[in-house]
Amino acid sequence: MSDRTSPPVTRLSAADSPVVLGDARLSAAELHTRITRLRTVPLTFEGPRGDTTLDIALDPDRTAVDEADFTAGTGRLHLEGELTLDETLLRCTADVDLATRRGTGRLQVSRRSTRETV
């Protein structure tokens, strides 16, 4: 990471973090719509310094919902996408249990963000 990386980016990309998928008011069906049609979901990174909720723009080619049953509200989700935080492009990867909406997520500075423009 560069010297210009903001403290939130540094903190959130330092290690895997516990995450919570979506707003508690969203039903499993609404989550399915957000994932498959809107292709954006709120993901909360929990941490000792407080929680950070970010909207992730999902990559449909790398997001997997095959192991989830949205009708029953069970199964596992693999989510991948990008977001910009403090002018830094980040790649997000998260594995979440649909029943509890909890899992593990990680952020990495995108390679596209680190390329120098000429």
Side-chain angles (χ1 to χ4, degrees):
M1 268 179 259
S2 75
D3 294 336
R4 298 183 321 239
T5 305
S6 72
V9 169
T10 301
R11 178 174 45 86
L12 291 169
S13 62
D16 289 358
S17 299
V19 295
V20 178
L21 173 62
D23 184 310
R25 297 171 294 195
L26 292 175
S27 68
E30 290 169 319
L31 276 175
H32 183 262
T33 298
R34 291 196 67 133
I35 293 167
T36 60
R37 292 190 186 144
L38 300 176
R39 294 194 174 115
T40 181
V41 292
L43 195 64
T44 301
F45 286 77
E46 299 180 313
R49 296 183 186 169
D51 297 346
T52 303
T53 301
L54 303 168
D55 283 323
I56 312 302
L58 296 174
D59 179 341
D61 295 329
R62 295 185 177 201
T63 295
V65 297
D66 309 9
E67 295 180 27
D69 179 341
F70 287 91
T71 303
T74 60
R76 298 216 35 95
L77 302 167
H78 176 78
L79 307 170
E80 287 195 38
E82 291 185 333
L83 68 138
T84 300
L85 179 62
D86 294 340
E87 300 181 16
T88 302
L89 183 62
L90 299 168
R91 183 104 189 129
C92 175
T93 305
D95 294 301
V96 177
D97 176 78
L98 184 56
T100 63
R101 300 202 186 164
R102 295 189 166 278
T104 303
R106 52 210 148 275
L107 294 175
Q108 294 179 303
V109 175
S110 174
R111 283 183 246 152
R112 290 191 302 156
S113 178
T114 57
R115 291 184 191 153
E116 292 185 31
T117 54
V118 180

